[in-house]
Amino acid sequence: MQGEKEYVGGSLKKGVLFLTVANLLVKVLGFAYKVPLNALLGDEMASVNAATALFAVLYTAMAV
């Protein structure tokens, strides 16, 4: 198509690297808050996990 830029090998690799690093950062941040929260809440953490799963399903359904 006219007006679209083709990805050259370098820019595609940079994009993949950026997304990979961003994903790893999100995973580390998620782990960093869940460990103290689990220690603080103890058995109540199951409720938080259930609510998070429900929220994820509802958020996905609303995005469609």
Side-chain angles (χ1 to χ4, degrees):
M1 290 186 172
Q2 209 171 25
E4 287 187 23
K5 293 182 180 179
E6 287 187 33
Y7 283 104
V8 182
S11 64
L12 179 62
K13 288 179 185 177
K14 285 180 186 176
V16 169
L17 180 63
F18 176 78
L19 290 176
T20 302
V21 170
N23 188 23
L24 289 173
L25 180 64
V26 167
K27 298 285 184 182
V28 167
L29 289 175
F31 179 76
Y33 95 87
K34 264 194 172 180
V35 169
L37 187 63
N38 191 12
L40 183 66
L41 295 178
D43 291 338
E44 295 296 320
M45 190 65 182
S47 301
V48 173
N49 287 335
T52 303
L54 178 63
F55 174 75
V57 170
L58 293 175
Y59 188 74
T60 304
M62 300 276 290
V64 174

